[in-house]
Amino acid sequence: MSNPFIVRKAAVLGAGVMGAQIAAHLVNAGIETLLFELPAESGNPDANVLKAIEKLKKQEPAPLSVIDRANCIEPATYDQHLEKLRDCDLVIEAIAERLELKSELYEKIATYLHDQAVLASNTSGLSINQLAAVIPEALQPRFCGIHFFNPPRYMYLVELIPSAQSDAAVLDALESFLVTSLGKGIIRAKDTPNFIANRIGVFSMLATMHHARQFGLAFDLVDKLTGVLIGRPKSATFRTADLVGLDVLAHVVQTMQNGLAEDPWHIYYVIPDWLQKLVDHGALGQKSGKGVYQKQGKDIHVLNPVTDTYEPAQNEVDDEIEALLKQKDPVARFTALHDHPHPQAQFLWAIHRDLFHYCAVHLAAIADNARDLDLAIRWGFGWERGPFEIWQAAGWNTVAGWIEADIAAGKTMAEIPLPAWVQTVGQSAVQGVHTQEGSYAPITESWQPRSQLPVYRRQLFPDRLVGEEIVYGETVFETDALRMWHTGDQVAIVSFKTKKHTIDNLVLQGMQQAITEAEHHFRALVIWQTEPPFSLGANLKKATERPKTEAPPAPPAPPSAFEKFIKQIRGATQSAILQAARSLDVADMLMAGKLAEVEVMIAHFQQVSQHLRYSLIPTVAAVDGLALGGGCEFVMHSDRAVTTMESYIGLVEAGVGLLPAGGGCKEFALRAARNAVDGDPFPYLKHYFQTVAMAQLAKSAEQAKEMHYLKPADVIIMNRLELLYVAKAQALALAEAGYRPPLRPREIVVAGATGIATIKSTLVNMLEGGFISEHDYLIGSKIAHVMCGGDIVAGSQVDEEWLLKLERTAFIELLATEKTQDRIAYTLKTGKPLRN
């Protein structure tokens, strides 16, 4: 097979939970996709697959970037539509985890695949070589395992597992496709039971359950100990089990028990009694509404495995242990854990010790090097650091000595000694497995560098491991608030240094300087943050206060995939409104003397937005994660936005009783005027008004285009690590095309008083119907006033400055109201919006 691997059309075999969601992610990426399922026993043969597609529209977190993408999935059945496989370049099998069923299916479809098509199994643990053995010989070089993690849209990891017959060129081409087109982090796994991530992750869960029983710790307490306090997702251990499905967990454990008879830890590969009981009774976790946890009314209850009953989840981490875990120095933290006599500390040391021990013993058998194991756990289970990274940061040789002492004392789950290579890497300069040159590979006894596939040249700053350093180019200038830098080409890059990349006066001053500097010495300017979010918007709290001096931008923090889809997808709008409120300091800024300062800052913000729009060089916003309020306004005013699919963009100020005042309202009024048919902007404006007044947050970049936060020409990419590469390419393309800034519009047609009256009539009906409060009415009226151009004759022509002045005035008027102040304060206190 020649590179690149072009997928014009794909097929997914099996419309279960994983198969349907893999199909959804393929159409998210713009790939025509067939979804196969068994025909219905009666009626429409496609009924089963149509039901699966319809379910995708209602699932949370949403598998589809926009609901309409469901219509792009073509339903198919094995009885009627196998001929359609002839057009497919990639076929992914995702049926039940039974070898005989998969074998029958492969035999049925093999003759329909063209001679370049790739067939891959999404098995989570069956042997790829056993599956390959039942495939026709001619197809075997184009067969492999391709293990997506659930949910496929959000989980970054895909394990790629070759068989002995898999063609290396096929694997390389497939990897490149998965990285760029589907936005995945690829780990090449060996053909061992449960591969890498599930093998290590599920062992860690089993070890945690084992020691929880030994130390007599309740399940909810274990989750508090094994979540964010130790750098893992909030879902921790037992909540994670509920999320993925207790039946799925039991299946993976059973696979380990059946396939790892010679493993020194085999005795521990047992489904706990309480877990088996829950599965037998259909209590499968979140998907069934009951598992380890159960919601009773407004309260969360947790299973007590001793009494087999649910009790209020109210156990807490000991204050001293919590303080110990919050120490920033990992060496001090682990020393304290190891030495502290408290059962919670000893429990945490025990689960880490057994995890390190297990990873060291099995590394050579399951992975090519330590990097692959660590990244598999980070990307597949959402940990901040992988097991070897944690060990290395805590002091490799010291921790190894503690492990050996516990093995000798019979405290470990298995008595097998640490492998000799542990001492070898302990004698290296870094005393650990990760170095700048590469990560340790036990089989070759060498430091293996990262993959050299051409696709990885697009990842200018890949996820950093402990032991690696990242240098973010050459500094042009740096302030307390931001840094301007470059990588040796003609594109300047600006990265904010404020917390959550909020925008204060110092950021605004730095942006003005950066744009001017770029106009004189560079061909383009890109706004890119070294870690998400892009920006949570204007920070009025810091409007007159200098931030702390911070170190140069830190390397990208490894994303927590579970946190990402739980926190940013579920209740994303509410979370966004909370973040907007956190940018405000009501107690301080609402003093009489502060409102004038805030108005000056808003004017300054508008000036920067306009400078972005009318700069002499192209400006590109490179967006990953949240872009709220002022951050969204920077995106809207850049010549081009390049966004990851998982970017959540919106003007959410109305949620805390305000309106966008960095040019957001002006921008929508301008866009409505440009779209106007027969000179009437109102048909477009009413849609834009709803977007702003309801503080609507786009929950994907595709949705941001539908909501017009993004422009039609803005670019959406799938892989977050390719963001800067693509943004720079877009910036240079604009420059190469002879970029000139847009002409300033001198005659913006507005809806005027007629438009305001029309919107207000709708608001009055909503107010009288009890759908909105009087303060909601006031906020909506102010937004309408600005977006319609003020109380002037419909069809009047104004300029941008007119609209910007309306924004500033309305913002300050709302900020001065008691009810807006109450909304901000309430949201800060409770994390929820207030409807007063």
Side-chain angles (χ1 to χ4, degrees), residues 476-666:
V476 178
F477 75 87
E478 186 168 6
T479 71
D480 290 342
L482 58 70
R483 177 174 178 254
M484 181 179 182
W485 52 287
H486 66 89
T487 58
D489 52 24
Q490 295 176 304
V491 178
I493 303 164
V494 170
S495 302
F496 301 169
K497 294 165 57 179
T498 50
K499 185 176 182 181
K500 302 295 183 183
H501 307 130
T502 52
I503 302 165
D504 58 22
N505 268 329
L506 288 182
V507 170
L508 294 173
Q509 292 166 15
M511 281 297 299
Q512 288 280 39
Q513 181 182 347
I515 298 169
T516 301
E517 184 77 22
E519 287 175 327
H520 285 88
H521 301 292
F522 293 88
R523 299 188 68 193
L525 177 69
V526 171
I527 307 171
W528 176 80
Q529 314 299 3
T530 60
E531 58 184 14
F534 177 75
S535 174
L536 296 191
N539 186 356
L540 302 183
K541 179 178 179 180
K542 298 291 184 181
T544 59
E545 176 185 336
R546 290 183 66 84
K548 282 185 176 180
T549 301
E550 298 180 9
S560 169
F562 272 92
E563 294 288 89
K564 194 171 188 178
F565 78 79
I566 292 170
K567 288 186 175 180
Q568 294 186 333
I569 305 302
R570 289 201 181 119
T573 300
Q574 180 173 310
S575 173
I577 290 170
L578 171 61
Q579 298 291 3
R582 283 175 175 161
S583 296
L584 310 172
D585 186 353
V586 182
D588 185 33
M589 75 181 180
L590 293 179
M591 295 169 60
K594 288 285 185 178
L595 283 177
E597 294 177 11
V598 172
E599 186 169 10
V600 169
M601 179 186 174
I602 295 301
H604 191 189
F605 202 119
Q606 293 176 341
Q607 291 168 10
V608 175
S609 294
Q610 292 293 88
H611 200 174
L612 274 174
R613 167 58 50 80
Y614 298 111
S615 169
L616 296 175
I617 44 93
T619 57
V620 175
V623 183
D624 183 29
L626 291 165
L628 307 181
C632 177
E633 287 168 313
F634 273 5
V635 173
M636 295 173 75
H637 284 82
S638 297
D639 292 301
R640 186 81 81 243
V642 177
T643 71
T644 62
M645 179 65 77
E646 299 313 320
S647 293
Y648 313 109
I649 302 170
L651 298 173
V652 298
E653 290 88 344
V656 285
L658 296 168
L659 55 71
C665 291
K666 176 271 299 180

Side-chain angles (χ1 to χ4, degrees), residues 1-2 5-6 8 83-91 109-119 135-143 167 169-170:
M1 177 178 291
S2 60
F5 177 44
I6 298 174
R8 297 172 182 84
E83 279 289 339
K84 294 185 176 183
L85 289 174
R86 298 190 189 280
D87 297 328
C88 295
D89 302 300
L90 174 63
V91 177
I109 68 168
T111 57
Y112 293 94
L113 303 185
H114 68 72
D115 60 6
Q116 293 292 304
V118 171
L119 173 63
I135 290 174
E137 186 175 344
L139 182 55
Q140 288 180 3
R142 292 177 280 117
F143 174 76
D167 186 303
V170 170

